[in-house]
Amino acid sequence: MRRTNSAPSRPRIATIWLGGCSGCHMSFVDLDEWLFELRRHADIVYGPLVDRKDFPEDVDAVLVEGSVTNTDNLELAHQLRARSKVVISFGDCAVTGNVTALRNLVGEPGEMVYRVYAEHPDRDGQMPSEVIPDLLPQALPLHHVVPVDLFLPGCPPPAPRIRDALTSLLGIDDTPHGIRFG
Amino acid sequence: MARPKRPNVPVVIDGHEVMAYPDDTVLSVAKRNGIRIPHLCALDGVSVYGGCRLCVVDVAERHKLMPACGTAVAEDMEVHTQSRTLQEHRKLILEMILAEGNHVCAVCVSNGACELQDLAVELGVDHVRPDYQFPRRTVDASHPKYTFDPNRCVLCTRCVRTCSEVEGAHVWDVAGRANGSYLIADLGQPWGEAPSCTWCGKCVAVCPTGALAWKGKAVGEMRHDPNLVAFLTSARDEGEWLDRETM
Amino acid sequence: MAKVIDLDDVAVQEAEARSRYRWRVKVCSSTACDASGAGPARRAVEHSVEEQGLEHDVQVVPTGCMGLCSAGPLVRAEPRGGQATMFQQVDPQVGADIVERHVVGREDLSQHQLDENLPFFTRQERVVLSNAGRIDPERIEDYVAEDGYRALVTALRMRPRGLIETIEASGLRGRGGAGYPTAKKWAMLHDAESDQKYVVANGDEGDPGAFMDRAVMEDDPHRVLEGVALAAYATGASKAFLYVRAEYPRAIKRLEQAIRTAKRQRLLGKNILESDFSLDVEIRTGAGAFVCGEETALLASIEGQRGQPRMRPPYPTERGLYGKPTMINNVETLANLPDIIRRGPEWFRGMGTRVSPGTKVFALAGSLQHSGLIEVPMGLTLGEIIEEIGGGCPNGRTFKAAQTGGPSGGCVPASFRDLPVDFESLRQAGSIMGSGGLIAMDDSVSMPEVARFYMDFSQDESCGKCAPCRVGTLEMHRLLERICAGAGTERDLALLEQLTRTVRETSLCGLGQSAPNPVASTLEHFRDEYTALLRNEPVGVAHG
Ligand SMILES: Cc1cc2nc3c(=O)[nH]c(=O)nc-3n(C[C@H](O)[C@H](O)[C@H](O)COP(=O)(O)O)c2cc1C
Ligand code: SF4
Ligand code: SF4
Ligand code: SF4
């Protein structure tokens, strides 16, 4: 990766989980011992695997799992875009909307929530009592909300494919593995 | 018109001289010679449709791009199939096709064995630029043997042509227009109630996506057999019913 | 078998009949004037003629379109051997006044009198519309009195080849949009070997705001029939279809009636004018899909199939209707034929430009003092049409751009006022002639909004057969909506441009291939308006 600031600091990698099922992160964890290799080349500065609340400044690359489906996601999307050099749509939900965007076919968020909760046979007509974040009218792929630099489709992207993206990004020698939706 | 024994029409495709039969199209002669031109609606054994536009090629001295599937060969025709512009067009067309429906590969019976998915890889579509349309379409599971999921239908009309031209039942057709076009069985009734369907399954075999599938198939389990039609139509003439391995 | 019409006889009788009246009061009864109240106006005129006991002195003639639709209903009072006067905005009161005060009292009705020396009238050259607004379209005698069906008589004495040569010499080009040389198409059908050939008159006219062909069909139906007969004779066709959109019930009625009359007079049907030439003519109505004006979709529609285009080649002249060689000509193209045959190709070439001879009918609309239906020689400049004929923009507004060719055309900026309006020049300016819609826009108009309007039309009218058109027009419309709402981004604009190229170059038929034109031409000439919208700045000056 080309670093624009002259300091010879280590690349700062983040991962983030928006409207997704965490499957892409599971696949990331599936990198197994290669994660140690990654650690040798870069710092992982943010993500579900890191104990940190706010998205940091000066991130070199961020893997974004999930679609942009609620107001929290939207805010985070803008934030991570502003603070990261390379934004990677990580997995089909981020790239296409995928399963999370199936809710768009049900209708307006209100209608959708009603159908999912109130009409669900196991829920006895109950609506959720906990606060759910404000849903956007539609769940959208990340690049329809902010500019995205790289796309890593797959549901989830298999670990070797993630490895490819990271190795080429970090300039690590490795053999490539192809892409595919689904 | 009977074909001559050997192809006798010289055609130049991407700089390679190949010999075509007089009744060849650019696509058919390219295919026979191992030159890949991406296509989706074209299907050997049924009539040409020319709807997907993925097979557009540059033919020297024609001022418009021509669909390879519907362009008859001519002597010394010079064809270019892979210019940058063509690749850009194909890529964007495929993105449009993906944006139009609800192609959720992760939960599709055809995941991993889908012509649309393969084309995306071939054409380098790793994301879709146009807005997704997220149309609301209802699955038709009324047929005892098959399902029709219009969310995954790309309106290639392979099923329409196959059912009409090969099976002779003409169950399927396209209704509506513009982006409101959709497939109907018979006069728009549920497929299971369409009296003209013979249950032959040919439409399911040729569907390039997960739109038509066998009932009971789970994610990634569906295998289509698009070559079935070419086999059936030529086998009748050539008497090779028994040679088929995968009946 | 019915007696053959004696054209000379009819013409003489008609002239005599006319000369018995001291006045002929013509009331425009076209669709446009009817909509603004020509019906009651005509009844008022007729009523007051009766009241005054003038039935033998004043003949009331319902006619077709007189042109200046924006001032309708129009009435023209013609004294025998004297100077005619035209009246505008004729309501029933004015209608009665025309008879009682103008015809009887020889008074001026100044505020309703319309100056026929307006450039709107004087700069026109009427061929196709020469009878429109002057004759009663429901009477074959009226057409015959204007030399109607004489060309057919002449043609039947010629060899078909000779007829084609005459049209070739005239340089006539198709008025249906593309300007294809008519004689070339005729020759192809003529040379096609088949037991059955067809000629089709294309009167689908699906462009929003266009009503050129409607006017010809409604106001001079026999001219269309004569044109069809000439085309059929030249090409060897024995069956013709008139394809008219169902939204034109009056045109359909008039044509049906004209066919019946012409058959009765042996001008159509078996052994026309006692020659060996027979022609059966049938009307087919289209259910108002824009795409059904495209020739292959039109043929599918006549066959009772879904109105969808198919790939060409094979061209219809090779494989057309029911698989037989077929030629499709636009109604206005056909309506030019009788005059070309009668007056000769040199006469025709005397109008218009070298490569685009003749005249063109336009539906002139938009921000103009005078709008309506005009017929002008090809090659008149945009400025002459907009500023002289149309009288420029009203209310002190400035002319900004002209839209030609409807959803398949584009916008030409005011700086092109010297552009000759013909097939090639318009194409070079990024637009097309199309079938003849011409809309003037003033400085209050936002050009991206214009593009959005036409894209909305195209995304709805796409037949849905091919992916780039079906989806691309929809996506382009979405992007334009976003950009016009001030919510667009640079990426949106870039994608819009890429879609413009892909939809144009890869779509199957002319609809998709030309649907991006309004976007492409406004991007070419008014890009700053798009970029202003990206910055969320307003575009176009608000009215008032
Ligand atoms: C989408 C589309 C709509 C068309 N609509 C018409 C129409 O309404 N009337 C017409 O004469 N030609 C129309 N055309 C052009 C016809 O396909 C055809 O070229 C024309 O009728 C030929 O007549 P011409 O040679 O006399 O111009 C249309 C073409 C396209 C692609
Ligand atoms: S199963 Fe056979 S008959 Fe039925 S719709 Fe499919 S192809 Fe037609
Ligand atoms: S159901 Fe399948 S074969 Fe039929 S049109 Fe749709 S995608 Fe094509
Ligand atoms: S370009 Fe549009 S109208 Fe023409 S065939 Fe394709 S979808 Fe139909």
Side-chain angles (χ1 to χ4, degrees):
Chain A
M1 169 180 302
R2 261 181 284 116
R3 311 251 319 154
T4 43
N5 51 352
S6 50
S9 56
R10 287 155 54 80
R12 289 155 59 79
I13 306 258
T15 72
I16 191 167
W17 173 13
L18 305 179
C21 70
S22 89
C24 298
H25 272 85
M26 291 302 166
S27 197
F28 184 72
V29 174
D30 233 12
L31 284 166
D32 294 336
E33 67 270 30
W34 193 81
L35 284 170
F36 294 107
E37 172 78 8
L38 179 61
R39 271 289 287 140
R40 291 207 301 118
H41 293 276
D43 291 331
I44 299 178
V45 295
Y46 183 81
L49 313 174
V50 179
D51 187 15
R52 172 168 188 160
K53 279 222 161 63
D54 303 325
F55 195 87
E57 302 280 351
D58 281 330
V59 169
D60 288 294
V62 57
L63 290 164
V64 186
E65 172 188 333
S67 66
V68 180
T69 188
N70 60 36
T71 45
D72 286 3
N73 295 160
L74 186 64
E75 199 183 317
L76 269 170
H78 286 291
Q79 200 172 60
L80 68 88
R81 177 66 272 187
R83 296 179 180 180
S84 317
K85 289 204 187 67
V86 176
V87 173
I88 305 167
S89 271
F90 178 34
D92 278 358
C93 290
V95 178
T96 75
N98 198 30
V99 176
T100 52
L102 280 173
R103 73 138 160 122
N104 300 351
L105 317 184
V106 182
E108 294 303 300
E111 190 186 338
M112 185 273 297
V113 171
Y114 187 82
R115 265 191 61 186
V116 170
Y117 288 95
E119 290 179 6
H120 196 281
D122 297 345
R123 283 195 60 96
D124 242 0
Q126 284 170 42
M127 290 290 278
S129 52
E130 300 295 317
V131 181
I132 45 172
D134 267 345
L135 291 171
L136 300 172
Q138 289 193 320
L140 292 174
L142 183 62
H143 66 281
H144 284 175
V145 177
V146 295
V148 169
D149 307 296
L150 272 176
F151 297 86
L152 207 49
C155 183
R161 220 183 283 163
I162 305 172
R163 199 166 102 187
D164 281 347
L166 292 174
T167 50
S168 70
L169 210 57
L170 298 169
I172 308 172
D173 262 348
D174 210 7
T175 33
H177 311 77
I179 59 153
R180 190 188 100 192
F181 292 111
Chain B
M1 187 174 58
R3 265 191 176 183
K5 279 224 171 56
R6 288 172 196 288
N8 56 355
V9 183
V11 176
V12 182
I13 304 181
D14 296 332
H16 306 285
E17 179 166 318
V18 296
M19 297 302 279
Y21 291 105
D23 61 352
D24 261 328
T25 62
V26 171
L27 184 62
S28 63
V29 66
K31 231 183 213 173
R32 198 173 327 103
N33 287 278
I35 301 169
R36 165 78 183 164
I37 303 174
H39 57 273
L40 181 60
C41 67
L43 180 68
D44 289 341
V46 294
S47 61
V48 171
Y49 185 60
C52 76
R53 314 307 287 173
L54 287 171
C55 71
V56 284
V57 293
D58 237 322
V59 179
E61 283 157 42
R62 298 268 178 99
H63 60 288
K64 280 181 183 156
L65 299 180
M66 304 296 293
C69 66
T71 303
V73 294
E75 204 163 312
D76 295 327
M77 185 183 241
E78 200 185 316
V79 183
H80 296 274
T81 73
Q82 295 298 336
S83 75
R84 222 193 124 91
T85 315
L86 287 174
Q87 285 168 354
E88 274 172 14
H89 286 327
R90 288 187 191 130
K91 191 169 176 192
L92 187 52
I93 292 171
L94 196 75
E95 288 177 43
M96 289 189 238
I97 292 173
L98 288 166
E100 186 187 23
N102 298 307
H103 297 279
V104 187
C105 302
V107 291
C108 177
V109 284
S110 287
N111 191 7
C114 167
E115 292 183 47
L116 196 59
Q117 219 177 19
D118 293 345
L119 277 164
V121 174
E122 181 183 354
L123 302 177
V125 173
D126 62 1
H127 70 293
V128 170
R129 288 166 289 173
D131 285 4
Y132 280 99
Q133 298 301 326
F134 300 119
R136 287 203 202 190
R137 300 174 181 168
T138 323
V139 175
D140 181 351
S142 60
H143 198 286
K145 279 181 75 174
Y146 316 114
T147 53
F148 170 50
D149 181 352
N151 291 291
R152 312 184 190 288
C153 173
V154 295
L155 294 170
C156 69
T157 74
R158 281 189 189 181
C159 57
V160 177
R161 287 171 286 155
T162 300
C163 183
S164 165
E165 297 165 22
V166 183
E167 178 62 7
H170 204 133
V171 172
W172 297 113
D173 217 324
V174 181
R177 72 174 187 200
N179 32 73
S181 304
Y182 59 102
L183 214 58
I184 51 166
D186 275 1
L187 293 170
Q189 59 262 63
W191 187 9
E193 293 165 25
S196 56
C197 177
T198 64
W199 297 25
C200 74
K202 292 187 186 75
C203 56
V204 180
V206 299
C207 180
T209 74
L212 291 172
W214 285 78
K215 264 203 173 144
K217 294 287 180 194
V219 169
E221 286 182 358
M222 183 64 206
R223 291 294 173 272
H224 292 96
D225 184 9
N227 297 325
L228 175 71
V229 172
F231 164 74
L232 288 177
T233 48
S234 65
R236 235 170 246 159
D237 300 335
E238 292 164 25
E240 46 180 42
W241 284 103
L242 303 174
D243 299 343
R244 176 98 172 154
E245 308 148 57
T246 56
M247 278 305 286
Chain C
M1 190 166 269
K3 206 169 126 337
V4 177
I5 189 170
D6 184 333
L7 297 175
D8 293 330
D9 226 35
V10 171
V12 168
Q13 278 172 24
E14 184 62 18
E16 270 172 20
R18 285 182 190 179
S19 67
R20 283 199 287 275
Y21 293 100
R22 285 196 300 119
W23 285 82
R24 304 185 76 204
V25 178
K26 296 179 174 171
V27 187
C28 179
S29 306
S30 71
T31 300
C33 274
D34 255 9
S36 50
R42 191 176 86 222
R43 280 191 292 281
V45 172
E46 284 166 349
H47 183 72
S48 95
V49 167
E50 261 173 56
E51 243 183 12
Q52 308 274 323
L54 295 172
E55 292 97 324
H56 298 293
D57 288 326
V58 181
Q59 185 188 22
V60 182
V61 186
T63 71
C65 181
M66 298 186 181
L68 190 57
C69 308
S70 57
L74 299 175
V75 170
R76 197 164 191 266
E78 305 175 352
R80 188 168 56 204
Q83 186 65 42
T85 311
M86 198 151 177
F87 299 91
Q88 59 182 335
Q89 282 152 358
V90 179
D91 59 19
Q93 181 55 53
V94 182
D97 285 351
I98 290 172
V99 179
E100 285 150 33
R101 292 172 50 198
H102 181 79
V103 170
V104 179
R106 299 305 291 136
E107 263 180 71
D108 272 355
L109 300 175
S110 41
Q111 81 270 39
H112 282 283
Q113 258 166 249
L114 187 58
D115 182 5
E116 282 190 83
N117 291 320
L118 279 177
F120 184 88
F121 296 109
T122 57
R123 303 249 12 202
Q124 289 199 44
E125 195 139 1
R126 291 188 146 212
V127 176
V128 167
L129 297 180
S130 57
N131 293 337
R134 299 186 46 224
I135 66 167
D136 181 347
E138 299 194 359
R139 296 184 68 244
I140 191 171
E141 296 83 358
D142 272 38
Y143 182 61
V144 171
E146 306 297 330
D147 289 333
Y149 288 111
R150 301 279 178 168
L152 187 58
V153 175
T154 311
L156 291 176
R157 294 197 201 108
M158 296 165 71
R159 285 176 308 116
R161 262 277 166 226
L163 203 52
I164 297 177
E165 281 157 16
T166 306
I167 297 306
E168 193 179 350
S170 76
L172 177 66
R173 298 171 63 177
R175 291 340 191 206
Y180 192 81
T182 304
K184 244 188 178 170
K185 226 193 259 187
W186 283 22
M188 284 190 268
L189 190 67
H190 177 274
D191 295 345
E193 304 256 344
S194 175
D195 55 340
Q196 174 75 63
K197 299 183 200 177
Y198 298 102
V199 163
V200 177
N202 189 345
D204 189 55
E205 196 165 55
D207 310 30
F211 55 101
M212 298 73 61
D213 295 344
R214 184 188 73 198
V216 184
M217 293 186 286
E218 285 185 358
D219 302 347
D220 205 1
H222 284 285
R223 172 181 293 274
V224 178
L225 296 185
E226 189 176 5
V228 168
L230 292 168
Y233 177 70
T235 53
S238 57
K239 170 109 199 176
F241 288 95
L242 312 179
Y243 190 83
V244 189
R245 62 193 343 235
E247 288 87 338
Y248 287 174
R250 189 187 305 229
I252 294 167
K253 192 187 115 218
R254 295 253 165 91
L255 286 167
E256 270 171 356
Q257 194 204 10
I259 292 171
R260 274 198 307 275
T261 320
K263 261 191 175 158
R264 223 179 297 125
Q265 312 274 16
R266 303 276 304 274
L267 292 161
L268 287 180
K270 276 216 160 31
N271 300 101
I272 292 175
L273 293 169
E274 295 185 307
S275 68
D276 291 338
F277 172 54
S278 300
L279 178 66
D280 185 31
V281 181
E282 209 177 300
I283 297 179
R284 288 294 162 95
T285 52
F290 177 50
V291 75
C292 285
E294 194 281 338
E295 54 187 30
T296 57
L298 186 154
L299 296 181
S301 168
I302 292 182
E303 287 176 6
Q305 316 260 9
R306 196 172 150 75
Q308 270 190 340
R310 61 155 174 79
M311 278 183 262
R312 296 175 309 179
Y315 289 93
T317 42
E318 304 157 60
R319 274 182 62 84
L321 205 50
Y322 307 109
K324 302 290 184 182
T326 304
M327 184 188 64
I328 297 99
N329 268 156
N330 166 259
V331 160
E332 188 184 332
T333 312
L334 294 164
N336 269 295
L337 301 172
D339 283 69
I340 297 177
I341 305 296
R342 223 175 50 239
R343 300 157 88 165
E346 296 75 27
W347 162 81
F348 190 74
R349 279 201 168 277
M351 297 177 295
T353 64
R354 198 179 54 79
V355 287
S356 302
T359 62
K360 180 76 194 82
V361 182
F362 289 99
L364 189 61
S367 176
L368 290 171
Q369 306 271 8
H370 309 295
S371 53
L373 203 63
I374 59 165
E375 181 172 359
V376 292
M378 294 256 195
L380 224 59
T381 66
L382 195 60
E384 285 170 313
I385 295 180
I386 301 284
E387 277 148 9
E388 291 182 37
I389 295 180
C393 305
N395 309 325
R397 305 233 65 121
T398 320
F399 170 48
K400 178 175 180 179
Q403 209 287 340
T404 71
S408 319
C411 296
V412 182
S415 57
F416 282 58
R417 24 174 83 65
D418 295 330
L419 185 83
V421 175
D422 60 39
F423 292 109
E424 274 69 27
S425 309
L426 279 173
R427 197 167 303 153
Q428 275 158 25
S431 189
I432 61 161
M433 173 81 83
S435 49
L438 212 174
I439 298 170
M441 289 172 291
D442 63 36
D443 52 357
S444 67
V445 172
S446 148
M447 303 313 286
E449 179 55 31
V450 172
R452 190 207 60 75
F453 171 82
Y454 284 109
M455 195 52 70
D456 192 17
F457 178 85
S458 294
Q459 63 93 21
D460 191 38
E461 290 291 335
S462 158
C463 82
K465 178 168 181 173
C466 69
C469 171
R470 182 181 71 235
V471 193
T473 53
L474 177 68
E475 296 289 356
M476 289 174 85
H477 181 244
R478 278 252 198 149
L479 289 165
L480 287 163
E481 270 188 328
R482 199 141 72 218
I483 291 169
C484 289
T489 62
E490 293 285 350
R491 279 178 303 152
D492 288 338
L493 191 57
L495 181 59
L496 183 66
E497 296 200 82
Q498 173 70 51
L499 281 164
T500 300
R501 288 191 290 273
T502 299
V503 174
R504 173 188 281 170
E505 285 169 36
T506 64
S507 289
L508 190 156
C509 87
L511 193 155
Q513 289 161 9
S514 57
N517 286 350
V519 182
S521 68
T522 48
L523 271 170
E524 184 185 339
H525 299 301
F526 300 95
R527 199 184 179 85
D528 53 328
E529 296 197 6
Y530 285 87
T531 48
L533 284 169
L534 295 190
R535 294 188 305 270
N536 212 357
E537 290 164 13
V539 161
V541 196
H543 262 295

